[in-house]
Amino acid sequence: MSMKINQLEIENVKRIKAVKIEPSANGLTIIGGRNNQGKTSVLDSIAWVLGGDKFRPSQAQRDQSVIPPNLKITMSNGLVVERKGKNSALKVTDPNGEKGGQQLLNDFVEQFALNLPKFMESTSKEKAQILLKIIGVGDKLMTLEREEQEKYNERLTIGRIADQKEKYAKEQPAYNDAPAELVSASDLIKKQQDILAQNGENQRKRERLHQLEQEDQRLMEQIQELLKKQEAVRADLSIARMNAKDLEDQSTAELERSICDIEEINRKVRANLDKEKAEDDAREYRRQYDQLSKQLDETRDAKNKLLNSAELPLPELSIKEGELIYKGQQWDNMSGSDRLKVSTAIVRKLNPECGFVLLDKLEQMDLEVLKEFGEWLEAEGLQAIATRVSTGEECSIVIEDGYVAGQEHPLMEDKKTGWKEGVF
């Protein structure tokens, strides 16, 4: 069961002279009045009593009063919290009559409940961090967000490289008539030399034929004397004619042209190889980009699953990219009522034992928003004590000159009235 305020009694705090209030257990209790009448002093007093000296007003004692502040709050479980005397000493009495100190109060009093505007004025990311902390997924979500950012940055870099590689590959010239590999000049020269050697051998054979023909001519002239020699020569001649019969010289013009064009051919081959390498690089970086995109989607899915499985304070409340989202709207686009709902729900989640919040300056809300917010508080079983510059019917009580309007009160400084400190 969450703790709420059943009754509060305040004397001589800031603008308050003597006020006694019993706020509604659930819903909205509005403290109305004109400016400088003591409305905010009521909230400051509650924060001081329950929150400790760090909430103590800089000038706690009412001006022109010789009586020190006297504050008393009775909680819904019977716990009584008092501050009174010259030093405003704290006294905490539990329902069993045992005493306790500030630590006992800290167990159920949430600091933001005493100063909800502080939470509402924090940045959207700070609100989101508080919510993540209380639902217990902050550290894990931070790890996923860091991983998401790293994957995003890596993918961005890879994507830029892939774009550059693709652009470079498109700009490279291509030559369909070039061979697949670089041409070797030494191979062409060797082929040329082999052909020239073969042609030289052919030439020698021709010269041999010519020599034999001359020899035959001379032998013909000396046929009588050289018949035997003529027969031998004719035998050699027959053989030589057979060897030279099918000989055909090969042309080196093709090789000479290839040797002359080798640099141009190799330039084209290198260009084709460069283009192929650029296309391979582009495909590899595009593959890495697609893989990182998949990993990025998996990380984002893990984030969404983590948040979807967390127990959030409100059904339509979520966190997206480090921002609070309620009913699809970020904080700056939420209505005033929705901001109050989100803030109150988160504060309640921070400490479920604290069943109340304090709100100042609700005159910024119109009556319809106030009604809607009050109905939501009642449905949630929450108590809110708020101030509003107004004396209208929406106000639960109205403060006038440090007193509750319509409530009997003693003259604070007149001893003849029988007024006793702490007694109303």
Side-chain angles (χ1 to χ4, degrees), residues 17-20 400-412 417 419 423-424:
K17 294 178 180 178
V19 167
K20 181 177 181 180
E400 291 181 354
D401 193 25
Y403 296 106
V404 175
Q407 187 179 93
E408 293 185 3
H409 52 79
L411 297 175
M412 296 293 294
T417 61
W419 172 270
V423 178
F424 294 83

Side-chain angles (χ1 to χ4, degrees), residues 373-386:
F373 180 54
E375 292 173 349
W376 178 80
L377 287 169
E378 290 183 16
E380 293 293 319
L382 284 169
Q383 178 189 65
I385 302 174

Side-chain angles (χ1 to χ4, degrees), residues 13-240:
V13 180
K14 296 181 68 176
R15 296 184 183 277
I16 293 296
K17 294 178 180 178
V19 167
K20 181 177 181 180
I21 300 174
E22 294 182 1
S24 301
N26 296 317
L28 186 60
T29 297
I30 298 179
I31 301 172
R34 301 188 310 277
N35 289 320
N36 301 321
Q37 300 298 303
K39 302 183 303 300
T40 303
S41 299
V42 174
L43 300 187
D44 291 344
S45 298
I46 298 173
W48 179 20
V49 175
L50 299 179
D53 287 336
K54 63 182 175 181
F55 288 96
R56 179 189 178 103
S58 58
Q59 295 182 350
Q61 185 167 317
R62 183 174 62 84
D63 288 343
Q64 302 176 352
S65 174
V66 296
I67 301 176
N70 185 21
L71 308 96
K72 180 179 179 181
I73 292 181
T74 303
M75 305 303 296
S76 57
N77 68 341
L79 192 75
V80 179
V81 186
E82 299 176 89
R83 286 188 182 275
K84 59 184 178 179
K86 184 176 180 180
N87 298 320
S88 300
L90 173 66
K91 178 183 178 183
V92 182
T93 306
D94 73 9
N96 298 321
E98 299 177 0
K99 296 181 180 180
Q102 186 63 49
Q103 185 57 47
L104 177 62
L105 300 179
N106 292 342
D107 290 340
F108 73 87
V109 176
E110 171 53 45
Q111 299 301 306
F112 279 124
L114 302 178
N115 190 3
L116 192 62
K118 180 180 179 181
F119 173 82
M120 297 180 70
E121 291 165 6
S122 62
T123 67
S124 184
K125 288 189 179 295
E126 288 171 342
K127 294 185 186 75
Q129 289 301 317
I130 292 171
L131 178 57
L132 292 173
K133 180 180 178 182
I134 62 178
I135 63 178
V137 299
D139 293 340
K140 190 170 182 180
L141 185 65
M142 187 180 300
T143 300
L144 288 172
E145 286 182 340
R146 184 170 58 251
E147 179 181 342
E148 176 187 9
Q149 188 62 44
E150 290 172 354
K151 293 295 183 185
Y152 176 81
N153 292 338
E154 184 180 0
R155 188 187 71 166
L156 181 63
T157 301
I158 291 296
R160 287 174 177 171
I161 295 175
D163 291 341
Q164 292 171 356
K165 291 291 184 180
E166 291 170 351
K167 182 175 181 294
Y168 177 73
K170 290 178 181 179
E171 292 173 349
Q172 295 304 302
Y175 302 95
N176 297 328
D177 59 340
E181 298 180 355
L182 293 174
V183 177
S184 172
S186 60
D187 291 344
L188 293 176
I189 292 173
K190 184 176 182 303
K191 289 181 180 179
Q192 182 191 38
Q193 289 174 343
D194 291 342
I195 292 173
L196 291 174
Q198 184 63 45
N199 291 344
E201 181 65 22
N202 293 345
Q203 184 62 31
R204 285 191 295 273
K205 290 179 179 181
R206 293 188 186 95
E207 291 175 354
R208 176 62 176 164
L209 174 61
H210 181 65
Q211 291 173 359
L212 290 173
E213 287 176 340
Q214 288 180 338
E215 185 74 13
D216 180 67
Q217 182 65 32
R218 288 193 298 269
L219 290 174
M220 286 296 292
E221 294 175 355
Q222 302 172 10
I223 189 168
Q224 294 300 325
E225 296 88 2
L226 301 172
L227 287 174
K228 292 182 180 180
K229 186 177 181 179
Q230 182 184 36
E231 291 177 359
V233 170
R234 285 182 175 178
D236 291 340
L237 178 60
S238 176
I239 294 172

Side-chain angles (χ1 to χ4, degrees), residues 268-283:
K268 293 180 178 180
V269 172
R270 291 190 186 96
N272 286 348
L273 292 174
D274 288 343
K275 183 177 182 65
E276 183 179 351
K277 177 66 165 55
E279 290 173 345
D280 289 343
D281 288 346
R283 281 192 293 269

Side-chain angles (χ1 to χ4, degrees), residues 385-412:
I385 302 174
T387 65
R388 178 179 172 86
V389 179
S390 172
T391 58
E393 295 181 356
E394 77 276 11
C395 299
S396 306
I397 63 169
V398 175
I399 301 292
E400 291 181 354
D401 193 25
Y403 296 106
V404 175
Q407 187 179 93
E408 293 185 3
H409 52 79
L411 297 175
M412 296 293 294

